[in-house]
Amino acid sequence: MSRVRIWVDGCFDTMHYGHANALRQAREMGDVLVVGVHSDQQILENKGPTVEPEEDRYEHVESCKWVDEVVRDAPYQTQLEIMDQFACDFCVHGDDVTTLADGTDCYSLVKNAGRYKECKRTEGISTTGLVQRILDNSHPPSGYAEKWLPIFRNTFPPSGKRVYLDGAFDMFHIGHVRMLKQASEHGHVLVGVFSDEIVVQRKERCVMNVYERCLSALSCRYCYDVVESAPLVITKSFIEEHKIDLVINPYSWEDRFQAAKDMGIYLELGLEQVSSDYLVKRILDNHQLYVARNERKQEKAIVEEQLAKRT
């Protein structure tokens, strides 16, 4: 029996747990998930400026644990020829309508060909919403993300060496992905995700709440599990409780790791600091550009909602 190959495409800008949940649902419909990612230019023409450049977005999607293959510079309107080129049986998209700049349904061709299936859109999260949180300096919402944690978690414990690495992981981005990938070279990575309170204490803002940040880490193939609201200071009892074989400090600064040093299970990677501040700064430095982007997206959303009611 031939394997069922699924096509999903999108922008995947500031990739979040809503994107990951769509990919998870799509992957459950078949055997191989092929993901097409649009270029910066195509997104600019049809939606507005991206927050993350295309090369980062390509790499970020490749790191998602439910993705098997990535197609770069995929057309904004899904094409049957592209699906055939990659031997995909059908296309999956969320239960909302996405349109081109001229109002055309991006999935009209595959719908007409009978090669279209839907998954449920994840409530409470979107790139537009994240950008708006930054523009408004608003607090992250609660009540949406928590329920997905058991579903995103791996169902079996890893065998072999367990390594621990912690941080805020706010606006989970390609720098976080690369850090976790490097840590995974030393074993299975257990990720400690700081509480909202600790994140605010250590920097000026917290764009995503702790559950959203946990889900971002859990969607990455280089993370096997997370510790929610992880402690800032890592103690011997914490290490023993979580059966940690190695504690990793990604940087060469911060003195929170004395217990791991005393136990002889401490490693520094000496990386440059990974922070979401550059994403926030890009949005704030181009405030009017992103305000216009969100306004344009909201106008499109009204048209897309009307179109959805007619289909």
Side-chain angles (χ1 to χ4, degrees):
M1 182 181 294
S2 61
R3 305 179 80 193
V4 176
R5 292 173 61 87
I6 305 145
W7 175 271
V8 171
D9 54 28
C11 304
F12 302 99
D13 196 17
T14 62
M15 189 167 168
H16 48 69
Y17 74 92
H19 293 131
N21 199 31
L23 297 175
R24 178 193 66 81
Q25 292 177 77
R27 182 64 176 77
E28 290 180 348
M29 297 183 191
D31 304 301
V32 179
L33 179 59
V34 182
V35 181
V37 183
H38 310 315
S39 69
D40 292 346
Q41 185 59 41
Q42 291 183 78
I43 298 170
L44 179 64
E45 292 171 358
N46 290 280
K47 193 173 186 178
T50 60
V51 177
E52 292 185 291
E54 59 193 63
E55 291 299 328
D56 288 0
R57 293 186 290 107
Y58 297 148
E59 188 177 346
H60 199 158
V61 175
E62 287 171 343
S63 75
C64 179
K65 65 183 179 183
W66 292 293
V67 173
D68 297 296
E69 301 173 22
V70 169
V71 177
R72 302 183 175 209
D73 194 15
Y76 205 84
Q77 184 177 33
T78 307
Q79 304 292 322
L80 292 168
E81 293 81 2
I82 294 291
M83 288 177 57
D84 290 341
Q85 180 182 341
F86 292 93
C88 293
D89 298 280
F90 56 87
C91 169
V92 175
H93 182 64
D95 54 359
D96 56 332
V97 176
T98 302
T99 60
L100 300 170
D102 64 3
T104 303
D105 184 346
C106 291
Y107 296 93
S108 59
L109 299 176
V110 291
K111 287 178 179 179
N112 292 338
R115 294 171 64 181
Y116 175 83
K117 294 186 179 183
E118 285 186 349
C119 63
K120 292 294 294 181
R121 187 181 183 281
T122 305
E123 189 179 8
I125 186 72
S126 68
T127 298
T128 301
L130 289 174
V131 170
Q132 199 63 49
R133 291 185 205 178
I134 294 169
L135 293 173
D136 296 342
N137 195 19
S138 58
H139 296 291
S142 59
Y144 292 103
E146 300 96 305
K147 66 181 180 181
W148 297 112
L149 283 171
I151 297 171
F152 272 50
R153 277 197 153 105
N154 294 315
T155 56
F156 54 88
S159 59
K161 192 173 184 179
R162 300 187 183 198
V163 304
Y164 179 77
L165 181 151
D166 62 16
F169 298 97
D170 198 19
M171 295 287 288
F172 195 85
H173 55 77
I174 195 60
H176 295 129
V177 169
R178 291 168 182 165
M179 180 173 68
L180 293 182
K181 183 178 182 180
Q182 189 165 342
S184 72
E185 295 172 1
H186 301 276
H188 301 286
V189 183
L190 174 65
V191 176
V193 181
F194 295 147
S195 67
D196 298 348
E197 292 75 18
I198 289 179
V199 175
V200 171
Q201 287 171 11
R202 289 165 61 85
K203 65 178 196 172
E204 292 183 359
R205 67 170 72 217
C206 180
V207 179
M208 306 178 82
N209 69 42
V210 64
Y211 301 111
E212 293 176 319
R213 293 182 281 112
C214 283
L215 291 170
S216 293
L218 284 169
S219 68
C220 180
R221 66 176 74 248
Y222 308 117
C223 164
Y224 87 82
D225 202 359
V226 297
V227 177
E228 303 153 37
S229 300
L232 189 59
V233 177
I234 302 165
T235 63
K236 182 179 179 181
S237 61
F238 179 85
I239 292 169
E240 292 174 343
E241 177 187 354
H242 293 281
K243 299 180 174 61
I244 296 166
D245 299 302
L246 180 68
V247 175
I248 292 182
N249 177 3
Y251 317 118
S252 56
W253 52 277
E254 289 199 305
D255 192 16
R256 305 184 288 109
F257 306 94
Q258 192 58 51
K261 291 178 181 178
D262 293 343
M263 296 171 71
I265 58 168
Y266 173 78
L267 174 68
E268 285 183 1
L269 296 182
L271 303 177
E272 293 185 9
Q273 184 177 4
V274 172
S275 173
S276 61
D277 290 347
Y278 82 97
L279 295 177
V280 173
K281 186 176 186 300
R282 180 174 182 184
I283 292 169
L284 293 178
D285 285 351
N286 297 277
H287 186 276
Q288 290 305 317
L289 187 66
Y290 284 99
V291 167
R293 172 196 185 277
N294 274 15
E295 288 176 348
R296 180 183 176 188
K297 184 67 173 67
Q298 289 167 359
E299 290 171 358
K300 279 189 68 181
I302 294 172
V303 174
E304 289 166 354
E305 185 177 354
Q306 292 172 344
L307 186 60
K309 291 178 179 178
R310 295 200 299 266
T311 58

